PDB file of all heavy atoms in Angstrom:
ATOM      1  N   PRO A  43      19.059   5.662   0.003  1.00 37.00           N
ATOM      2  CA  PRO A  43      17.678   5.845  -0.276  1.00 37.00           C
ATOM      3  C   PRO A  43      16.971   6.240   0.729  1.00 37.00           C
ATOM      4  O   PRO A  43      16.997   5.673   1.914  1.00 37.00           O
ATOM      5  CB  PRO A  43      17.239   4.610  -0.972  1.00 37.00           C
ATOM      6  CG  PRO A  43      18.495   3.979  -1.337  1.00 37.00           C
ATOM      7  CD  PRO A  43      19.580   4.324  -0.459  1.00 37.00           C
ATOM      8  N   ALA A  44      16.040   7.330   0.675  1.00 38.00           N
ATOM      9  CA  ALA A  44      15.210   7.732   1.786  1.00 38.00           C
ATOM     10  C   ALA A  44      13.899   6.743   1.787  1.00 38.00           C
ATOM     11  O   ALA A  44      13.612   6.258   0.753  1.00 38.00           O
ATOM     12  CB  ALA A  44      14.751   9.202   1.608  1.00 38.00           C
ATOM     13  N   ARG A  45      13.393   6.509   3.068  1.00 38.00           N
ATOM     14  CA  ARG A  45      12.302   5.636   3.190  1.00 38.00           C
ATOM     15  C   ARG A  45      11.039   6.348   2.938  1.00 38.00           C
ATOM     16  O   ARG A  45      10.921   7.532   2.985  1.00 38.00           O
ATOM     17  CB  ARG A  45      12.268   5.064   4.629  1.00 38.00           C
ATOM     18  CG  ARG A  45      13.500   4.225   4.922  1.00 38.00           C
ATOM     19  CD  ARG A  45      13.407   3.543   6.262  1.00 38.00           C
ATOM     20  NE  ARG A  45      12.997   4.551   7.298  1.00 38.00           N
ATOM     21  CZ  ARG A  45      12.596   4.164   8.568  1.00 38.00           C
ATOM     22  NH1 ARG A  45      12.601   2.873   8.871  1.00 38.00           N
ATOM     23  NH2 ARG A  45      12.253   5.000   9.393  1.00 38.00           N
ATOM     24  N   THR A  46       9.950   5.622   2.716  1.00 34.00           N
ATOM     25  CA  THR A  46       8.695   6.139   2.345  1.00 34.00           C
ATOM     26  C   THR A  46       8.154   6.898   3.677  1.00 34.00           C
ATOM     27  O   THR A  46       8.343   6.356   4.727  1.00 34.00           O
ATOM     28  CB  THR A  46       7.695   5.125   1.991  1.00 34.00           C
ATOM     29  OG1 THR A  46       8.208   4.527   0.813  1.00 34.00           O
ATOM     30  CG2 THR A  46       6.246   5.783   1.670  1.00 34.00           C
ATOM     31  N   SER A  47       7.658   8.073   3.623  1.00 36.00           N
ATOM     32  CA  SER A  47       7.167   8.810   4.839  1.00 36.00           C
ATOM     33  C   SER A  47       5.889   8.355   5.221  1.00 36.00           C
ATOM     34  O   SER A  47       5.103   7.823   4.482  1.00 36.00           O
ATOM     35  CB  SER A  47       7.305  10.366   4.460  1.00 36.00           C
ATOM     36  OG  SER A  47       6.195  10.467   3.681  1.00 36.00           O
ATOM     37  N   ARG A  48       5.656   8.688   6.531  1.00 35.00           N
ATOM     38  CA  ARG A  48       4.332   8.461   7.243  1.00 35.00           C
ATOM     39  C   ARG A  48       3.565   9.778   7.159  1.00 35.00           C
ATOM     40  O   ARG A  48       3.950  10.673   7.885  1.00 35.00           O
ATOM     41  CB  ARG A  48       4.448   7.937   8.508  1.00 35.00           C
ATOM     42  CG  ARG A  48       5.160   6.535   8.576  1.00 35.00           C
ATOM     43  CD  ARG A  48       5.111   5.995  10.016  1.00 35.00           C
ATOM     44  NE  ARG A  48       5.844   6.858  10.937  1.00 35.00           N
ATOM     45  CZ  ARG A  48       6.928   6.449  11.474  1.00 35.00           C
ATOM     46  NH1 ARG A  48       7.494   5.329  11.076  1.00 35.00           N
ATOM     47  NH2 ARG A  48       7.573   7.296  12.232  1.00 35.00           N
ATOM     48  N   PRO A  49       2.521   9.981   6.378  1.00 34.00           N
ATOM     49  CA  PRO A  49       1.881  11.276   6.198  1.00 34.00           C
ATOM     50  C   PRO A  49       1.249  11.639   7.543  1.00 34.00           C
ATOM     51  O   PRO A  49       0.876  10.664   8.326  1.00 34.00           O
ATOM     52  CB  PRO A  49       0.906  11.139   5.156  1.00 34.00           C
ATOM     53  CG  PRO A  49       0.760   9.608   5.056  1.00 34.00           C
ATOM     54  CD  PRO A  49       1.975   8.987   5.461  1.00 34.00           C
ATOM     55  N   GLY A  50       1.116  12.889   7.776  1.00 35.00           N
ATOM     56  CA  GLY A  50       0.320  13.424   8.944  1.00 35.00           C
ATOM     57  C   GLY A  50       1.110  13.420  10.230  1.00 35.00           C
ATOM     58  O   GLY A  50       0.626  13.501  11.418  1.00 35.00           O
ATOM     59  N   ILE A  51       2.527  13.422  10.076  1.00 33.00           N
ATOM     60  CA  ILE A  51       3.263  13.489  11.431  1.00 33.00           C
ATOM     61  C   ILE A  51       3.125  14.782  12.054  1.00 33.00           C
ATOM     62  O   ILE A  51       3.135  15.802  11.363  1.00 33.00           O
ATOM     63  CB  ILE A  51       4.732  13.267  11.081  1.00 33.00           C
ATOM     64  CG1 ILE A  51       5.645  13.169  12.243  1.00 33.00           C
ATOM     65  CG2 ILE A  51       5.411  14.169  10.181  1.00 33.00           C
ATOM     66  CD1 ILE A  51       7.003  12.751  12.058  1.00 33.00           C
ATOM     67  N   SER A  52       2.939  14.899  13.308  1.00 36.00           N
ATOM     68  CA  SER A  52       2.733  16.096  13.986  1.00 36.00           C
ATOM     69  C   SER A  52       4.075  16.717  14.515  1.00 36.00           C
ATOM     70  O   SER A  52       5.045  16.065  14.579  1.00 36.00           O
ATOM     71  CB  SER A  52       1.757  15.899  15.283  1.00 36.00           C
ATOM     72  OG  SER A  52       2.558  15.045  16.208  1.00 36.00           O
ATOM     73  N   ALA A  53       4.101  18.058  14.817  1.00 38.00           N
ATOM     74  CA  ALA A  53       5.246  18.695  15.259  1.00 38.00           C
ATOM     75  C   ALA A  53       5.752  18.055  16.684  1.00 38.00           C
ATOM     76  O   ALA A  53       6.892  17.902  16.830  1.00 38.00           O
ATOM     77  CB  ALA A  53       5.128  20.165  15.454  1.00 38.00           C
ATOM     78  N   ALA A  54       4.713  17.764  17.363  1.00 36.00           N
ATOM     79  CA  ALA A  54       5.085  17.130  18.742  1.00 36.00           C
ATOM     80  C   ALA A  54       5.850  15.788  18.648  1.00 36.00           C
ATOM     81  O   ALA A  54       6.599  15.540  19.409  1.00 36.00           O
ATOM     82  CB  ALA A  54       3.830  17.180  19.706  1.00 36.00           C
ATOM     83  N   GLY A  55       5.327  15.027  17.679  1.00 40.00           N
ATOM     84  CA  GLY A  55       5.744  13.659  17.547  1.00 40.00           C
ATOM     85  C   GLY A  55       6.989  13.555  16.610  1.00 40.00           C
ATOM     86  O   GLY A  55       7.622  12.565  16.483  1.00 40.00           O
ATOM     87  N   ALA A  56       7.395  14.619  16.006  1.00 38.00           N
ATOM     88  CA  ALA A  56       8.439  14.423  14.847  1.00 38.00           C
ATOM     89  C   ALA A  56       9.741  14.013  15.447  1.00 38.00           C
ATOM     90  O   ALA A  56      10.386  13.179  14.945  1.00 38.00           O
ATOM     91  CB  ALA A  56       8.580  15.796  14.193  1.00 38.00           C
ATOM     92  N   ALA A  57      10.173  14.582  16.570  1.00 40.00           N
ATOM     93  CA  ALA A  57      11.430  14.282  17.141  1.00 40.00           C
ATOM     94  C   ALA A  57      11.482  12.796  17.609  1.00 40.00           C
ATOM     95  O   ALA A  57      12.428  12.091  17.428  1.00 40.00           O
ATOM     96  CB  ALA A  57      11.761  15.184  18.342  1.00 40.00           C
ATOM     97  N   ALA A  58      10.346  12.319  18.237  1.00 39.00           N
ATOM     98  CA  ALA A  58      10.297  11.014  18.757  1.00 39.00           C
ATOM     99  C   ALA A  58      10.253   9.996  17.668  1.00 39.00           C
ATOM    100  O   ALA A  58      10.819   8.860  17.919  1.00 39.00           O
ATOM    101  CB  ALA A  58       9.084  10.824  19.586  1.00 39.00           C
ATOM    102  N   SER A  59       9.654  10.313  16.443  1.00 43.00           N
ATOM    103  CA  SER A  59       9.537   9.305  15.464  1.00 43.00           C
ATOM    104  C   SER A  59      10.745   9.254  14.399  1.00 43.00           C
ATOM    105  O   SER A  59      10.697   8.552  13.551  1.00 43.00           O
ATOM    106  CB  SER A  59       8.265   9.512  14.718  1.00 43.00           C
ATOM    107  OG  SER A  59       8.295  10.747  14.075  1.00 43.00           O
ATOM    108  N   THR A  60      11.642  10.222  14.606  1.00 42.00           N
ATOM    109  CA  THR A  60      12.824  10.186  13.713  1.00 42.00           C
ATOM    110  C   THR A  60      13.764   9.010  13.871  1.00 42.00           C
ATOM    111  O   THR A  60      13.910   8.688  14.912  1.00 42.00           O
ATOM    112  CB  THR A  60      13.667  11.497  14.053  1.00 42.00           C
ATOM    113  OG1 THR A  60      12.887  12.650  13.960  1.00 42.00           O
ATOM    114  CG2 THR A  60      14.943  11.568  13.139  1.00 42.00           C
ATOM    115  N   SER A  61      13.942   8.370  12.742  1.00 54.00           N
ATOM    116  CA  SER A  61      14.532   7.101  12.688  1.00 54.00           C
ATOM    117  C   SER A  61      16.035   7.270  12.570  1.00 54.00           C
ATOM    118  O   SER A  61      16.621   8.369  12.610  1.00 54.00           O
ATOM    119  CB  SER A  61      14.013   6.220  11.589  1.00 54.00           C
ATOM    120  OG  SER A  61      14.173   6.798  10.434  1.00 54.00           O
ATOM    121  N   VAL A  62      16.775   6.260  12.414  1.00 68.00           N
ATOM    122  CA  VAL A  62      18.241   6.307  12.028  1.00 68.00           C
ATOM    123  C   VAL A  62      18.503   7.269  10.962  1.00 68.00           C
ATOM    124  O   VAL A  62      17.787   7.246   9.929  1.00 68.00           O
ATOM    125  CB  VAL A  62      18.765   4.955  11.871  1.00 68.00           C
ATOM    126  CG1 VAL A  62      20.324   4.955  11.407  1.00 68.00           C
ATOM    127  CG2 VAL A  62      18.529   3.964  13.004  1.00 68.00           C
ATOM    128  N   GLY A  63      19.510   8.159  11.139  1.00 87.00           N
ATOM    129  CA  GLY A  63      19.687   9.152  10.239  1.00 87.00           C
ATOM    130  C   GLY A  63      20.306   8.814   8.837  1.00 87.00           C
ATOM    131  O   GLY A  63      20.804   7.682   8.635  1.00 87.00           O
ATOM    132  N   LEU A  64      20.018   9.678   7.960  1.00 93.00           N
ATOM    133  CA  LEU A  64      20.568   9.503   6.435  1.00 93.00           C
ATOM    134  C   LEU A  64      21.975  10.053   6.441  1.00 93.00           C
ATOM    135  O   LEU A  64      22.128  11.243   6.945  1.00 93.00           O
ATOM    136  CB  LEU A  64      19.656  10.119   5.582  1.00 93.00           C
ATOM    137  CG  LEU A  64      20.187  10.297   4.104  1.00 93.00           C
ATOM    138  CD1 LEU A  64      20.245   8.857   3.427  1.00 93.00           C
ATOM    139  CD2 LEU A  64      19.205  11.151   3.178  1.00 93.00           C
ATOM    140  N   ILE A  65      22.914   9.313   5.953  1.00 95.00           N
ATOM    141  CA  ILE A  65      24.332   9.757   5.804  1.00 95.00           C
ATOM    142  C   ILE A  65      24.672   9.999   4.421  1.00 95.00           C
ATOM    143  O   ILE A  65      24.524   9.169   3.544  1.00 95.00           O
ATOM    144  CB  ILE A  65      25.271   8.736   6.495  1.00 95.00           C
ATOM    145  CG1 ILE A  65      25.004   8.597   7.988  1.00 95.00           C
ATOM    146  CG2 ILE A  65      26.722   9.232   6.251  1.00 95.00           C
ATOM    147  CD1 ILE A  65      25.880   7.608   8.639  1.00 95.00           C
ATOM    148  N   GLN A  66      25.059  11.200   4.093  1.00 95.00           N
ATOM    149  CA  GLN A  66      25.459  11.677   2.728  1.00 95.00           C
ATOM    150  C   GLN A  66      27.036  11.852   2.702  1.00 95.00           C
ATOM    151  O   GLN A  66      27.607  12.694   3.303  1.00 95.00           O
ATOM    152  CB  GLN A  66      24.829  12.839   2.312  1.00 95.00           C
ATOM    153  CG  GLN A  66      25.373  13.549   0.971  1.00 95.00           C
ATOM    154  CD  GLN A  66      25.030  12.804  -0.163  1.00 95.00           C
ATOM    155  OE1 GLN A  66      24.167  11.938  -0.247  1.00 95.00           O
ATOM    156  NE2 GLN A  66      25.701  12.987  -1.229  1.00 95.00           N
ATOM    157  N   SER A  67      27.641  10.844   2.032  1.00 94.00           N
ATOM    158  CA  SER A  67      29.206  10.970   2.098  1.00 94.00           C
ATOM    159  C   SER A  67      29.753  11.675   0.885  1.00 94.00           C
ATOM    160  O   SER A  67      30.952  12.138   1.064  1.00 94.00           O
ATOM    161  CB  SER A  67      29.755   9.503   2.092  1.00 94.00           C
ATOM    162  OG  SER A  67      29.242   8.776   0.934  1.00 94.00           O
ATOM    163  N   ALA A  68      29.022  11.851  -0.206  1.00 94.00           N
ATOM    164  CA  ALA A  68      29.588  12.596  -1.295  1.00 94.00           C
ATOM    165  C   ALA A  68      29.236  14.099  -1.229  1.00 94.00           C
ATOM    166  O   ALA A  68      28.238  14.460  -0.564  1.00 94.00           O
ATOM    167  CB  ALA A  68      28.984  12.030  -2.623  1.00 94.00           C
ATOM    168  N   PRO A  69      29.978  14.921  -1.763  1.00 95.00           N
ATOM    169  CA  PRO A  69      29.586  16.466  -1.650  1.00 95.00           C
ATOM    170  C   PRO A  69      28.154  16.650  -2.378  1.00 95.00           C
ATOM    171  O   PRO A  69      27.895  15.852  -3.271  1.00 95.00           O
ATOM    172  CB  PRO A  69      30.669  17.017  -2.571  1.00 95.00           C
ATOM    173  CG  PRO A  69      31.897  16.060  -2.509  1.00 95.00           C
ATOM    174  CD  PRO A  69      31.285  14.735  -2.439  1.00 95.00           C
TER     175      PRO A  69
END
């Protein structure tokens, strides 16, 4: 399940605020 997003994220801060990735194991 994806987490609730934080609205208003800026392009400059997007990389820094990216959390632990989502892993999709099924096709």
Side-chain angles (χ1 to χ4, degrees):
R45 300 187 309 173
T46 303
S47 68
R48 295 187 297 253
I51 184 170
S52 66
S59 62
T60 298
S61 62
V62 176
L64 172 65
I65 296 177
Q66 169 68 20
S67 58

